[in-house]
Amino acid sequence: MFGSLLSFIKNSHSDLQSKSKSWSYQMRCSEIPTAALVLGVNVPDHEMTFQKLSDLLQESLTPYVVCLQGKDFTAVKQVLQTVLVHLIGRRVYDDEDEEDVFSVDFSQKKIFCSMASLCGWYRAETQKPTFSSPGKKRKSSSPQYEQSPPVVIIFKDLESFLPKVLQDFLVICSNYIQQLPLILIFGIATSSVALHRMLPQSVSSLLCIELFQSLSCTEHLAAVIDKLILTTKFPFKLSGKVLRVLTSIFLYHDFSVRNFIKGFQLSLLEHFYSQPLSLLCCALNEANARVQDLTHDDCELIRQVPSFMRYVESQDPEKQVELLTKDHYLKDTVRKLLNDLHVYHENYLPVLKCLHILTTSLPKYPLGKQIRDLHSTCLEKEVWETEDYSSAFQLFGMMAKDELVSLLTRCLDVLKSSEQDNLEDSVQKLEELLTRFQNLDIKEEFHPSNEQCLTAVLKTSRRSKKLSGFEVLRVEVLQFIDKLIRDYLLPPETQPLHEVTYFSAASTLRRHLNAAPRNALQTALNNPYYYLQNEILKSETGTIPNTAPDICIVYKLHLECGRLINLYDWLQAFAMVVNAAEGNDPDTQVGKPVDKILHARFIRAVSELEFLGFVKPTKRKTDHVARLTWGGC
């Protein structure tokens, strides 16, 4: 997308500089080249996209790039001021050796804010004998631009701009397009219809618009998962539940690939912080070297890992004793198990991709449309035990020859890309099956000897039925695929020491990423000790500690009231609790006016509760407030 966008800007700029006398040029000489960039609804990623685009433009085409956001402008004058500040003002800030009239006047705010001033500055800037970058000392490493580079203005969020402000700015720019090589880029989050909805025909006719469509956020996510998760380059892995937490946040909250990557980084941080054995989560050669340096305490930690305990229980009694008592024997076993875990990952990914190739060709995608869904299922359970897997294989049994051969050819390419020796036999078997398909005669008669070995698998009917040669071979293919999946798509929990590389604390990750402000507020108001960790604030459940902050006392008192709360009664109850905390006898305070400072503290606490949304004023009774929260409050 960036490449085509840069080509559009180059071609548009060359057309503006050509000064051709052709009819087409004369017709378009008043039109502003405009790129409508449809990015999608993943708004959190747009800032990163425009930053990358701005950097590319400044590296290769022009130093004059201005980025605008709709929230900053309510009038066209503000837009002009911002453009002038970014272009002219940047030179004043950077250039310490040369100060001309334009820069001095602008720094003193004496320049007239108009496009004519910008055109004058641009003309003076580009007529210099040598031109590299405005406001920077010329160095050999600085980028070299054309004599008259274009001025690119990027509207990051077109939908956020006021239509009137945008229309006026475009009309002004169209009057100076022959003096100033302007190129506009519109960032659109929804669709190109938004552009025509904001601009009437009289204004849109001033623009020469070309539409650029970015990849969808789900396609970006698929690329990120393929490079970060479905690879053996990185030893760190996510469990099925953690991966589902990250994808659910992506799909149901923000569609932000950037936030997905941050969630992945948080998982990485949590794994290395909370898992002591994460020191072995590295490249295989380095991990083997670190195993040799393990201390006795580290060996004890390994012996306490659940997956390793299950491995020990499956060994002979003699080996169990050695694993639990001899550190050097344990280290040799750990190196072997880490190597097996590495081989498991090397075999897992190609077979997973093969299964994905086969299942995505089926109607309704029984095992998921995206490979991330299939990957999550395989991580959480034995995929061949699911109903979706059974239904998928029933559909495989009805697949035509050409389609089946095409899918098996793609699977063969995937398996050949693997460097593991364990898959060589599978590659040879698959090549043999494809060769038999090519040499298959559709009219071949069925052999009775094959019928006996296939009856249990097919279960097509109770009566005897002759099968064609293709049907026999198809069943053999299904048996081969099923065996391949059962051998290599085992859940990681079946592998000893999988805790070294897999992060599985989904609840911790969800607590960090899925904010629950209401629960946090209720916990803080009900039990301030949970956050403050002050021993004085400890109290029994249901009691009102007189040492708690004012807002906590007021909150707990309001829980005892009904729909309407009398402010005077509330104040008296608050005064009794606070006086008890200060050592005063509450009985001696009955009938006396409440202290002004105590009254002010009560008003502040009630105001804070109102701000948090627990109470609100009511017109039914002036000296009452209405309670807004119920149930688990």
Side-chain angles (χ1 to χ4, degrees):
M1 182 188 66
F2 285 148
S4 58
L5 192 57
L6 292 177
S7 299
F8 166 77
I9 295 175
K10 284 182 181 179
N11 297 334
S12 301
H13 178 59
S14 61
D15 291 342
L16 290 174
Q17 299 297 318
S18 63
K19 303 298 182 181
S20 173
K21 295 183 179 180
S22 64
W23 176 82
S24 60
Y25 173 79
Q26 295 297 328
M27 290 296 294
R28 299 179 61 180
C29 63
S30 62
E31 294 180 349
I32 307 174
T34 304
L37 187 57
V38 182
L39 295 175
V41 295
N42 52 329
V43 178
D45 296 336
H46 291 184
E47 183 65 30
M48 184 170 56
T49 302
F50 285 118
Q51 184 61 46
K52 178 66 175 178
L53 176 60
S54 177
D55 294 342
L56 287 175
L57 289 172
Q58 292 179 349
E59 289 174 2
S60 58
L61 288 181
T62 174
Y64 307 128
V65 181
V66 182
C67 296
L68 306 177
Q69 280 190 311
K71 65 179 183 179
D72 300 329
F73 309 109
T74 58
V76 67
K77 182 180 179 181
Q78 295 174 335
V79 181
L80 292 173
Q81 287 177 343
T82 303
V83 173
L84 289 170
V85 166
H86 277 77
L87 295 177
I88 305 178
R90 195 177 94 179
R91 184 171 188 271
V92 177
Y93 178 78
D94 288 342
D95 195 349
E96 298 178 355
D97 300 332
E98 299 178 3
E99 291 184 1
D100 54 16
V101 176
F102 285 96
S103 63
V104 173
D105 288 346
F106 190 81
S107 63
Q108 299 173 355
K109 296 187 178 180
K110 293 182 180 179
I111 192 171
F112 183 69
C113 181
S114 66
M115 289 295 291
S117 302
L118 181 61
C119 291
W121 170 82
Y122 180 83
R123 193 163 44 249
E125 187 70 24
T126 55
Q127 287 178 355
K128 293 180 179 180
T130 58
F131 178 78
S132 60
S133 177
K136 295 183 180 179
K137 296 181 181 179
R138 297 174 181 87
K139 298 179 182 179
S140 58
S141 60
S142 61
Q144 299 295 323
Y145 304 108
E146 298 180 4
Q147 185 65 28
S148 300
V151 177
V152 181
I153 301 178
I154 302 175
F155 296 81
K156 292 184 178 181
D157 47 354
L158 183 73
E159 293 93 340
S160 299
F161 281 84
L162 297 176
K164 179 61 177 175
V165 173
L166 184 63
Q167 295 167 20
D168 293 344
F169 180 74
L170 295 178
V171 171
I172 294 173
C173 291
S174 65
N175 295 325
Y176 293 90
I177 188 61
Q178 297 183 10
Q179 306 173 41
L180 188 68
L182 279 174
I183 295 177
L184 306 180
I185 299 178
F186 291 155
I188 303 174
T190 53
S191 65
S192 58
V193 179
L195 178 61
H196 299 286
R197 188 167 54 244
M198 295 182 66
L199 303 179
Q201 193 275 337
S202 59
V203 178
S204 61
S205 61
L206 303 175
L207 307 177
C208 179
I209 303 174
E210 185 166 339
L211 186 65
F212 294 87
Q213 180 72 50
S214 172
L215 292 176
S216 66
C217 52
T218 53
E219 292 175 319
H220 283 299
L221 178 65
V224 169
I225 289 179
D226 186 62
K227 293 181 179 180
L228 286 181
I229 298 176
L230 300 179
T231 179
T232 57
K233 294 181 180 179
F234 309 111
F236 175 72
K237 305 293 180 183
L238 298 179
S239 69
K241 291 183 179 179
V242 172
L243 183 58
R244 287 195 185 277
V245 168
L246 292 178
T247 52
S248 63
I249 292 175
F250 172 85
L251 294 173
Y252 301 114
H253 286 79
D254 52 13
F255 289 105
S256 173
V257 179
R258 185 179 183 182
N259 290 346
F260 180 89
I261 296 175
K262 288 182 178 180
F264 182 85
Q265 293 171 338
L266 178 61
S267 303
L268 183 68
L269 180 64
E270 282 288 335
H271 178 69
F272 281 93
Y273 177 77
S274 60
Q275 175 56 260
L277 296 181
S278 59
L279 64 96
L280 300 178
C281 184
C282 53
L284 184 60
N285 295 334
E286 186 178 355
N288 290 331
R290 291 183 180 183
V291 169
Q292 190 63 34
D293 299 333
L294 291 177
T295 63
H296 176 71
D297 293 337
D298 295 331
C299 293
E300 289 299 324
L301 288 175
I302 293 177
R303 292 185 176 105
Q304 297 172 10
V305 172
S307 63
F308 187 78
M309 293 174 64
R310 292 193 295 268
Y311 172 78
V312 173
E313 292 173 357
S314 64
Q315 302 300 310
D316 298 334
E318 296 179 357
K319 290 185 178 180
Q320 291 182 7
V321 174
E322 291 182 343
L323 287 172
L324 297 176
T325 57
K326 298 180 180 180
D327 289 349
H328 66 88
Y329 185 79
L330 174 70
K331 293 178 182 180
D332 295 338
T333 305
V334 168
R335 276 194 289 267
K336 175 182 176 299
L337 293 178
L338 290 178
N339 183 71
D340 293 343
L341 187 62
H342 176 74
V343 173
Y344 162 77
H345 290 143
E346 292 283 353
N347 295 331
Y348 174 89
L349 291 176
V351 178
L352 178 72
K353 293 177 181 178
C354 290
L355 181 58
H356 176 66
I357 290 173
L358 294 171
T359 55
T360 50
S361 63
L362 300 177
K364 297 184 179 180
Y365 309 104
L367 289 177
K369 185 177 182 180
Q370 301 292 337
I371 192 171
R372 62 173 181 267
D373 301 325
L374 179 60
H375 179 52
S376 299
T377 304
C378 294
L379 291 178
E380 292 177 358
K381 63 186 76 171
E382 296 176 343
V383 65
W384 56 87
E385 298 294 341
T386 62
E387 295 182 2
D388 294 333
Y389 181 85
S390 301
S391 61
F393 265 72
Q394 288 178 0
L395 294 173
F396 285 146
M398 297 182 288
M399 192 170 287
K401 175 184 174 182
D402 294 341
E403 186 178 6
L404 185 59
V405 170
S406 175
L407 295 176
L408 292 179
T409 304
R410 292 171 57 189
C411 292
L412 179 62
D413 296 336
V414 172
L415 293 179
K416 283 184 176 180
S417 64
S418 175
E419 300 177 355
Q420 285 298 315
D421 298 336
N422 297 345
L423 294 176
E424 288 185 0
D425 295 339
S426 301
V427 171
Q428 295 177 0
K429 178 65 175 178
L430 192 54
E431 289 177 342
E432 177 188 347
L433 292 173
L434 286 173
T435 303
R436 291 172 60 185
F437 268 118
Q438 294 175 358
N439 301 329
L440 184 66
D441 185 2
I442 299 179
K443 297 183 180 181
E444 178 184 353
E445 292 295 328
F446 177 72
H447 298 285
S449 59
N450 290 334
E451 185 178 8
Q452 296 176 359
C453 66
L454 295 172
T455 303
V457 179
L458 292 175
K459 296 182 180 179
T460 53
S461 62
R462 295 182 179 178
R463 59 185 180 180
S464 59
K465 177 183 177 182
K466 284 190 174 183
L467 300 178
S468 66
F470 164 68
E471 291 174 336
V472 173
L473 190 54
R474 181 172 60 189
V475 172
E476 190 174 345
V477 168
L478 295 184
Q479 289 178 331
F480 165 74
I481 295 173
D482 182 65
K483 184 177 183 303
L484 193 68
I485 292 169
R486 292 174 184 267
D487 289 343
Y488 297 111
L489 290 189
L490 294 167
E493 285 77 7
T494 61
Q495 306 300 314
L497 295 182
H498 70 273
E499 294 90 347
V500 171
T501 59
Y502 280 87
F503 175 71
S504 57
S507 58
T508 302
L509 187 66
R510 187 183 293 107
R511 185 171 67 252
H512 287 309
L513 297 181
N514 276 356
R518 178 175 175 179
N519 294 337
L521 283 175
Q522 292 169 357
T523 301
L525 295 175
N526 271 314
N527 183 19
Y529 172 79
Y530 182 83
Y531 290 105
L532 299 180
Q533 295 295 312
N534 191 336
E535 296 294 331
I536 302 177
L537 299 177
K538 278 190 173 181
S539 62
E540 298 179 1
T541 305
T543 61
I544 303 177
N546 49 24
T547 55
D550 293 345
I551 188 174
C552 297
I553 297 174
V554 171
Y555 173 78
K556 286 202 170 186
L557 289 172
H558 113 285
L559 294 179
E560 301 175 356
C561 302
R563 189 169 60 87
L564 295 178
I565 306 175
N566 189 306
L567 286 173
Y568 180 78
D569 296 340
W570 201 4
L571 172 60
Q572 292 297 325
F574 174 75
M576 290 182 63
V577 175
V578 174
N579 286 329
E582 296 175 354
N584 300 325
D585 187 3
D587 295 335
T588 61
Q589 304 297 324
V590 177
K592 294 183 179 181
V594 180
D595 182 66
K596 292 183 178 179
I597 296 178
L598 192 60
H599 197 176
R601 289 168 58 185
F602 173 76
I603 294 175
R604 182 179 63 180
V606 174
S607 299
E608 291 173 349
L609 280 185
E610 181 182 355
F611 176 75
L612 294 175
F614 289 97
V615 296
K616 72 171 183 178
T618 177
K619 295 181 179 180
R620 297 184 61 181
K621 294 183 179 180
T622 56
D623 58 344
H624 285 64
V625 292
R627 181 178 171 183
L628 297 178
T629 56
W630 303 90
C633 302

